[in-house]
Amino acid sequence: MNFLRGVMGGPSAGPTPSGAETIQKLCDRVASSTLLEDRRDAVRALKSLSKKYRLEVGIQAMDHLIHVLQTDRSDSEIIGYALDTLYNIISNDLEEEEQEENSQKQTEDLGSQFTEIFIKQQENVTLLLTYLEEFDFHVRWPGVKLLTALLKQQGPQVQQIILVSPMGVSRLMDLLADSREVIRNDGVLLLQQLTKSNAAIQKIVAFENAFERLLDIITEEGNSDGGIVVEDCLLLLQNLLKNNNSNQNFFKEGSYIQRMKPWFEVGEDNAGWSAQKVTNLHLMLQLVRVLVSPTNPPGATSSCQKAMFQCGLLQQLCTILMATGVPADILTETINTVSEVIRGCQMNQDYFASVNAPSSPPRPAIVVLLMSMVNERQPFVLRCAVLYCFQCFLYKNQKGQGEIVSTLLPSTIDATGNSVSAGQLLCGGLFSTDSLSNWCAAVALAHALQENAPLKEQLLRVQLATSLGNPPVSLLQQCTNILSQGDKINRRGSKVQTRVGLLILLCTWLSDCPIAVTHFLHNSANVPFLTGQIAENLGVEEHVVQGLCALLLGICIYYNDNSLENYRKEKLKQLIEKRIGKENFIEKLGFISKHELYSRAAQKPQPNFSSPDYMMFDHEFTKLVKELEGVLTKAIYKTTEEDKKEEEVKKTLEQHDNIVTHYKSVIRVQDQELEELKKQVESLKVQNEQLQATVTQQVSQIQQHKDQYNLLKVQLGKDHQHHSSCNDVVQMNGLQPEETSRLREQAEEWKRKLEQLEEQLREKEALIETLKFSPPAMGTTEGSSQTKSGLEVESELQREVETLRVQIHSQTTEIAKLQAEKQELLQQRVTLKILDLALWLVVISSASFSNLVPFINSWEFPPVYLLKAIYIPS
């Protein structure tokens, strides 16, 4: 410890050792000491000296520090000191003061050399990855910083080691889930370095749920209002998505585009944005552009464009576009972003055409943007962005092209002059005194005619009023007039730029439009002007103009329909050969593709120029030049006979094209019919499946019915056997089946008689009861007894008694007779019941029990007990 105190600045008796000697002693201490505390103090001392004596510590102590990492894993403190020391050795992020002090000593990149020494043994990087799994802050954070420094110094080599390391990338992804913001934020910086220019690692990181975690961090930090952490997350997202089609598709399929919409929510008051918010929003817009970049595969770009419209992201961007108080650089980047979101997508282009600026009266957004483009007071980058937006709006959008051209036609011009149209703005820019406005308006109008022959013909109808008292001039004639005047007009900016823009417009207009070529050749001054420009020996800056003039003259030859006798193909070629020379003409034509600015414009669609002087060529025009250059060269060298043959071939091809067009229409109709038939087949298939299901159900029901029928058939056989046995019994008792009906009739007849007799019996019984209780007639004797004598009375009474006796006897006889008749009727009733039972037995022998229920219920006295004894159902 006394030794360390001396090293760290304590009092010492001898001379002060140099830095290299002190470091050597500390390294010996780390290597030889057996006590952990001594080694820890020595490593701490090395850490304190590593910034000032970076070279010495790196040379002498690196191996000892790596050995500490390998052997002293159990002590987190010494591991943290060792990692910090290695970071100081390898990292070039030194403080400014230290950089100034050590600038003379650092003659070479020490960080890169020390990194190469460290990663020479791949086990060192693998060991470092294991320390990133430690939760201890003093181990994990230095490990993250050290690995980040290694990636900065030797990125590809370290990436390869991590890629082949088991679970290497997954360990690093866990840093984003750390609850300590310092480690999480440095983990984002680490992943930035890890994912640079390595598609394999980018895919692994993306499939380790990186998008979800990064978007969560951005949301937690406040979206565009967040700090530098949001900026770091956006840079990492750009690394993962840029030029990586797999990750872009994964981002879209994961519905992460929808989560980008809240980023662009701006308020009404947009003044006073912080620099960090501007940076964040700029990166967010760039991230949207990464997903819809024209360099991406068309299918992927189209799907992202549709998703952005469906989730409302495009609408949100248009809101920023029309908002007030938005910083100029954000507005410019927003215009570029909207441009690529709508480029080539009809649905998005239609929506953009419907957007109006919040003005009074409301104006279409496209008109407001064009006003900025032709306004020379606006920033150059903003004007370029508006031009790009206009080009993207018209890209593969024939509907939009027609709307723009229609604003130039006489029938649609607003006579009141209250509103400004897009066509009027383009004409105003085309003929202004600002060369940049001339070029932008000419290129914008050329895009309105791109690959649209009908509009090229319609644009020939446009008439311009040049001055009072003079007749109107066609737009084509006015363009050629300005082109021929050239240097005579005093313009602001490059005069070459104006002529280049007009020549680009004329070449686009006349290509593939013989009628426009005829109109151009009808002006007798045009051809001499072109031949004069091509034949002159001008300076280098005029080479572009000469090349474009040669291109325009070649288009007049190639698309000439020979309708003008003085300007037929062969005469124009003779004129070129006499005044210019074919070789010279081809040489001048080659000036275009050999120009440096042509190569730049051909790389990407966006017109991105550092200054107005470099604004010469348009991306779509470079495609046209590439397409026509070889064709025009062949056309110039062709003879008259070859031209005739070519004309015949063209006519044949036209006929062939007509036939092909006819058959295409027939095929289109047949395709529609086929589609309808396919739909019918599909519907019939559905019906067939339903009917099949119905048939299957009915077959099962039929089978069930068959089973029931067979069961009933078996039961019927048993019933038939029982019926036969009953018939045998009846026949054995002398009853034939044909007698059944007769017995039934007799039973009915006896039943009626029985009812009559019962009625008579009730009447007789009532009469008997009446006779029993009726008093004898005494009224006359009582009257005569008062006048007659006793004898007469007595004899009379005896006679009456005898009379009463006779009456009682006769009544008694009658009662006995009636009782005998009653007994006889009762006997007959019992006989009828027996006959009825016999008949009932005959009936039940030929019927099932269920059919006998109504019959049993109709019988007056159903002998159920007898049924149970006689009939047992099978």
Side-chain angles (χ1 to χ4, degrees):
M1 295 299 294
N2 292 332
F3 168 75
L4 289 175
R5 290 191 189 97
V7 171
M8 300 304 295
S12 58
T16 304
S18 63
E21 294 175 353
T22 304
I23 293 168
Q24 181 61 45
K25 292 179 181 178
L26 290 173
C27 291
D28 294 340
R29 191 76 172 177
V30 172
S32 60
S33 179
T34 57
L35 292 177
L36 180 60
E37 293 182 358
D38 290 346
R39 294 199 303 276
R40 185 190 304 134
D41 293 337
V43 174
R44 184 191 297 118
L46 287 172
K47 174 189 171 183
S48 63
L49 296 172
S50 58
K51 290 185 178 180
K52 186 175 182 180
Y53 299 100
R54 180 183 178 190
L55 178 61
E56 292 80 359
V57 173
I59 293 174
Q60 299 182 42
M62 180 174 286
D63 292 339
H64 300 294
L65 294 172
I66 294 173
H67 185 263
V68 168
L69 294 178
Q70 295 171 346
T71 57
D72 292 330
R73 188 183 186 92
S74 59
D75 186 68
S76 60
E77 191 173 357
I78 191 173
I79 295 298
Y81 293 148
L83 292 173
D84 281 332
T85 306
L86 288 171
Y87 172 74
N88 293 336
I89 295 170
I90 291 173
S91 176
N92 288 331
D93 300 334
L94 299 177
E95 297 180 1
E96 295 182 1
E97 296 180 359
E98 295 176 351
Q99 285 182 349
E100 292 176 359
E101 293 175 1
N102 299 330
S103 59
Q104 296 178 354
K105 299 180 181 179
Q106 293 179 348
T107 56
E108 54 187 358
D109 187 4
L110 297 179
S112 179
Q113 294 180 7
F114 287 137
T115 300
E116 190 173 352
I117 295 171
F118 183 85
I119 67 174
K120 191 173 183 180
Q121 298 294 328
Q122 296 186 6
E123 295 81 6
N124 296 338
V125 179
T126 306
L127 178 64
L128 181 57
L129 290 174
T130 61
Y131 279 113
L132 295 182
E133 294 180 341
E134 297 290 337
F135 186 75
D136 193 326
F137 179 82
H138 298 290
V139 174
R140 198 172 203 186
W141 188 38
V144 171
K145 293 193 296 180
L146 175 58
L147 187 57
T148 306
L150 292 174
L151 286 165
K152 286 181 179 179
Q153 299 295 342
Q154 298 286 343
Q157 293 85 342
V158 180
Q159 286 175 342
Q160 192 61 32
I161 295 172
I162 295 175
L163 192 59
V164 299
S165 176
M167 300 296 291
V169 178
S170 300
R171 293 172 181 172
L172 302 181
M173 287 301 301
D174 293 338
L175 298 173
L176 296 181
D178 200 303
S179 58
R180 295 160 293 192
E181 291 189 1
V182 176
I183 295 180
R184 183 199 68 184
N185 298 343
D186 282 352
V188 174
L189 296 175
L190 169 60
L191 290 173
Q192 279 185 29
Q193 299 298 325
L194 180 66
T195 55
K196 279 185 178 179
S197 305
N198 193 309
I201 293 180
Q202 290 170 1
K203 292 178 182 179
I204 296 173
V205 171
F207 283 95
E208 287 284 347
N209 207 22
F211 294 138
E212 183 77 26
R213 297 183 184 181
L214 292 173
L215 292 174
D216 288 342
I217 294 173
I218 293 173
T219 303
E220 291 171 4
E221 295 292 328
N223 294 327
S224 60
D225 294 321
I228 195 170
V229 178
V230 174
E231 179 183 348
D232 294 336
C233 290
L234 292 170
L235 290 172
L236 177 54
L237 284 172
Q238 284 192 20
N239 284 354
L240 295 175
L241 293 173
K242 195 169 186 178
N243 299 324
N244 194 316
N245 300 328
S246 175
N247 284 0
Q248 290 174 8
N249 186 60
F250 181 69
F251 191 85
K252 179 186 70 69
E253 295 296 334
S255 300
Y256 296 119
I257 292 178
Q258 289 80 341
R259 297 187 59 178
M260 299 170 71
K261 181 185 175 183
W263 296 355
F264 305 103
E265 293 177 356
V266 296
E268 296 180 358
D269 185 15
N270 297 309
W273 283 11
S274 64
Q276 187 61 57
K277 180 172 183 177
V278 172
T279 302
N280 291 344
L281 203 54
H282 199 271
L283 290 172
M284 290 172 177
L285 292 169
Q286 287 183 348
L287 190 62
V288 175
R289 294 185 64 185
V290 166
L291 295 172
V292 293
S293 173
T295 58
N296 293 342
T301 300
S302 177
S303 59
C304 289
Q305 288 172 332
K306 292 177 182 177
M308 289 177 183
F309 175 78
Q310 292 168 355
C311 74
L313 180 58
L314 175 59
Q315 293 84 330
Q316 203 69 45
L317 292 174
C318 290
T319 302
I320 299 177
L321 199 65
M322 295 292 107
T324 57
V326 178
D329 52 347
I330 293 298
L331 181 60
T332 302
E333 190 63 23
T334 303
I335 295 173
N336 288 327
T337 305
V338 171
S339 305
E340 294 184 351
V341 173
I342 68 173
R343 187 177 189 269
C345 181
Q346 188 66 51
M347 177 173 58
N348 294 2
Q349 289 167 339
D350 292 342
Y351 171 77
F352 183 71
S354 66
V355 175
N356 289 323
S359 59
S360 181
R363 290 176 176 172
I366 194 69
V367 172
V368 176
L369 292 175
L370 287 176
M371 293 172 70
S372 300
M373 185 186 74
V374 297
N375 186 356
E376 56 185 301
R377 297 178 183 176
Q378 294 293 337
F380 173 67
V381 290
L382 179 63
R383 299 173 74 180
C384 291
V386 173
L387 175 61
Y388 184 45
C389 184
F390 190 76
Q391 292 173 349
C392 292
F393 171 66
L394 298 178
Y395 183 71
K396 294 183 179 180
N397 183 12
Q398 293 188 354
K399 179 182 177 183
Q401 289 175 324
E403 292 173 354
I404 297 298
V405 173
S406 66
T407 60
L408 288 166
L409 299 178
S411 59
T412 58
I413 295 177
D414 186 6
T416 61
N418 294 330
S419 61
V420 180
S421 67
Q424 291 172 338
L425 290 171
L426 291 176
C427 284
L430 193 62
F431 306 126
S432 72
T433 56
D434 177 35
S435 61
L436 183 59
S437 297
N438 300 154
W439 190 91
C440 290
V443 171
L445 194 55
H447 275 262
L449 304 175
Q450 198 81 33
E451 298 180 357
N452 199 326
L455 291 183
K456 295 177 181 179
E457 297 177 8
Q458 288 189 30
L459 200 63
L460 296 172
R461 296 166 45 202
V462 177
Q463 299 290 320
L464 302 175
T466 55
S467 60
L468 293 175
N470 293 329
V473 179
S474 68
L475 177 61
L476 181 64
Q477 183 62 45
Q478 184 67 13
C479 290
T480 56
N481 291 341
I482 297 175
L483 184 63
S484 60
Q485 292 174 3
D487 299 339
K488 298 177 183 179
I489 301 176
N490 187 17
R491 299 181 184 278
R492 291 180 296 276
S494 172
K495 296 177 181 178
V496 174
Q497 193 175 50
T498 299
R499 286 184 287 167
V500 168
L502 290 171
L503 286 168
I504 288 175
L505 172 60
L506 291 173
C507 290
T508 306
W509 193 348
L510 269 60
S511 64
D512 200 18
C513 186
I515 297 177
V517 171
T518 302
H519 278 71
F520 180 80
L521 295 176
H522 191 73
N523 187 347
S524 58
N526 290 337
V527 174
F529 168 74
L530 293 178
T531 55
Q533 288 288 318
I534 299 169
E536 287 184 11
N537 292 322
L538 303 175
V540 178
E541 66 276 1
E542 296 287 339
H543 283 180
V544 177
V545 176
Q546 288 185 310
L548 292 173
C549 289
L551 179 66
L552 182 58
L553 186 56
I555 290 173
C556 292
I557 295 173
Y558 185 72
Y559 292 105
N560 193 341
D561 58 0
N562 295 326
S563 58
L564 296 176
E565 183 62 30
N566 293 332
Y567 295 103
R568 297 174 65 86
K569 286 185 178 182
E570 57 272 13
K571 291 188 176 182
L572 289 175
K573 286 192 285 187
Q574 290 174 4
L575 183 65
I576 290 175
E577 189 171 2
K578 290 179 180 178
R579 295 190 179 181
I580 305 171
K582 292 183 178 180
E583 290 76 10
N584 191 24
F585 178 86
I586 299 302
E587 181 184 358
K588 298 294 177 68
L589 182 64
F591 283 167
I592 302 175
S593 57
K594 293 177 182 179
H595 202 281
E596 180 185 0
L597 298 179
Y598 174 89
S599 303
R600 290 185 185 179
Q603 292 175 0
K604 55 183 179 180
Q606 182 182 0
N608 189 12
F609 307 102
S610 58
S611 70
D613 295 334
Y614 294 99
M615 214 169 188
M616 287 291 175
F617 293 104
D618 170 62
H619 178 74
E620 292 298 325
F621 180 71
T622 60
K623 294 182 180 178
L624 179 65
V625 173
K626 187 177 181 181
E627 177 185 348
L628 292 177
E629 189 174 10
V631 175
L632 297 181
T633 302
K634 293 180 181 178
I636 294 298
Y637 284 105
K638 282 182 181 177
T639 61
T640 306
E641 294 180 357
E642 290 176 344
D643 283 337
K644 290 181 180 179
K645 290 181 180 179
E646 186 177 354
E647 289 294 331
E648 293 177 358
V649 171
K650 279 187 177 180
K651 291 180 181 179
T652 306
L653 290 176
E654 287 178 0
Q655 295 176 356
H656 176 70
D657 290 340
N658 293 334
I659 295 173
V660 170
T661 304
H662 171 68
Y663 278 112
K664 281 183 178 179
S665 62
V666 172
I667 291 171
R668 192 178 299 110
V669 173
Q670 291 178 347
D671 286 340
Q672 294 175 354
E673 294 177 352
L674 183 61
E675 289 297 326
E676 293 178 358
L677 291 174
K678 285 182 179 179
K679 292 179 181 178
Q680 293 179 4
V681 169
E682 291 297 329
S683 62
L684 291 175
K685 282 183 179 179
V686 174
Q687 293 179 4
N688 185 31
E689 292 176 358
Q690 294 176 352
L691 293 174
Q692 288 289 347
T694 305
V695 167
T696 304
Q697 184 179 1
Q698 290 180 351
V699 167
S700 63
Q701 291 178 356
I702 290 171
Q703 187 61 39
Q704 292 177 0
H705 291 161
K706 283 183 178 180
D707 296 339
Q708 293 177 1
Y709 171 75
N710 293 330
L711 182 61
L712 291 174
K713 191 173 181 182
V714 174
Q715 291 180 353
L716 184 61
K718 293 181 180 180
D719 291 342
H720 180 69
Q721 292 177 0
H722 181 69
H723 176 65
S724 300
S725 61
C726 290
N727 287 340
D728 293 341
V729 173
V730 173
Q731 289 176 1
M732 288 174 65
N733 291 320
L735 290 174
Q736 298 297 331
E738 58 269 12
E739 295 179 356
T740 302
S741 59
R742 182 173 57 80
L743 291 174
R744 187 174 295 173
E745 292 175 359
Q746 290 180 358
E748 294 293 331
E749 184 179 357
W750 280 107
K751 192 180 291 184
R752 289 193 298 272
K753 288 182 179 181
L754 178 61
E755 292 175 353
Q756 293 176 1
L757 291 174
E758 286 178 347
E759 183 65 28
Q760 292 176 6
L761 180 60
R762 284 193 293 273
E763 292 176 358
K764 296 292 183 180
E765 287 179 346
L767 180 60
I768 291 171
E769 294 296 328
T770 304
L771 291 176
K772 282 183 179 179
F773 298 100
S774 63
M778 298 293 294
T780 56
T781 51
E782 290 177 0
S784 65
S785 62
Q786 296 176 0
T787 60
K788 293 182 179 182
S789 60
L791 293 173
E792 293 175 355
V793 171
E794 183 178 359
S795 59
E796 188 174 348
L797 288 173
Q798 288 179 352
R799 286 194 296 276
E800 289 179 359
V801 169
E802 289 296 331
T803 303
L804 291 172
R805 285 179 178 173
V806 172
Q807 291 177 356
I808 290 170
H809 180 70
S810 63
Q811 289 178 357
T812 303
T813 304
E814 188 174 357
I815 288 170
K817 183 179 178 181
L818 290 173
Q819 288 179 347
E821 291 178 358
K822 179 181 179 181
Q823 291 296 328
E824 185 179 357
L825 288 172
L826 290 173
Q827 186 66 30
Q828 291 177 357
R829 184 178 180 183
V830 171
T831 304
L832 288 172
K833 296 294 184 181
I834 294 171
L835 291 173
D836 197 5
L837 177 61
L839 176 63
W840 188 81
L841 289 173
V842 171
V843 173
I844 65 173
S845 65
S846 61
S848 63
F849 187 76
S850 60
N851 297 328
L852 290 175
V853 174
F855 180 72
I856 295 170
N857 294 332
S858 67
W859 202 32
E860 186 175 356
F861 302 104
V864 178
Y865 64 91
L866 191 58
L867 287 176
K868 292 181 179 178
I870 297 174
Y871 183 80
I872 300 175
S874 58

